[in-house]
Amino acid sequence: MPVEQLEHFTVRCTDVDATRDFYANMLGLTVGPRPDFPFKGHWLYCGGSPVVHLVDKAESDIRDGARSGADTGALDHVAFRGVDIEATRATLRAANIAFRETGVPGGRLRQIFVPDPDGVLVELNFRTS
């Protein structure tokens, strides 16, 4: 039973609007339509797909009861393909957001690692020629 593609990931946010702004302003995702759920949140789109779902942590704690305190496991980071590494560096620096940059052995990929406001590590991959 193979899967076809990644649909989305969800972040339980301490400040859902600040996290929305990070993904929109720093990564260029687009805030878009979201079903009328009875709790605060946002959906952010990449290439027409709602890939990042944000939910208010306090509201989800109440809604989900005992499950809300569960550890979600060993997720290390989420990766996106970046478009313009120079513009990305400039945007992050202008917002005073610390990031780490590395290269992949072989020299054909540069990576920027930056945490979102809730501590989820975001990897941005930039292919080089």
Side-chain angles (χ1 to χ4, degrees):
M1 181 182 84
V3 297
E4 188 171 72
Q5 72 181 36
L6 175 67
E7 288 284 332
H8 70 272
F9 68 93
T10 299
V11 179
R12 296 174 62 237
C13 309
T14 54
D15 182 338
V16 72
D17 292 336
T19 304
R20 175 204 57 210
D21 293 347
F22 170 84
Y23 283 97
N25 299 334
M26 297 300 112
L27 302 186
L29 299 184
T30 304
V31 178
R34 174 180 176 262
D36 191 20
F37 292 114
F39 51 88
K40 187 174 181 183
H42 301 286
W43 280 12
L44 293 112
Y45 288 69
C46 181
S49 296
V51 297
V52 180
H53 295 184
L54 307 177
V55 297
D56 183 88
K57 182 182 181 316
E59 289 184 20
S60 69
D61 283 350
I62 293 166
R63 183 186 73 243
D64 296 338
R67 179 217 167 269
S68 66
D71 181 5
T72 59
L75 175 66
D76 183 71
H77 67 273
V78 177
F80 292 94
R81 180 176 296 178
V83 176
D84 182 340
I85 196 167
E86 294 296 332
T88 300
R89 287 181 190 124
T91 298
L92 293 170
R93 287 180 180 132
N96 290 320
I97 296 176
F99 63 92
R100 176 174 55 93
E101 185 173 335
T102 64
V104 172
R108 294 163 59 108
L109 188 70
R110 296 292 302 165
Q111 299 174 305
I112 289 178
F113 293 89
V114 58
D116 80 3
D118 293 285
V120 175
L121 187 61
V122 176
E123 173 185 320
L124 305 171
N125 290 310
F126 300 88
R127 268 107 183 129
T128 59
S129 53

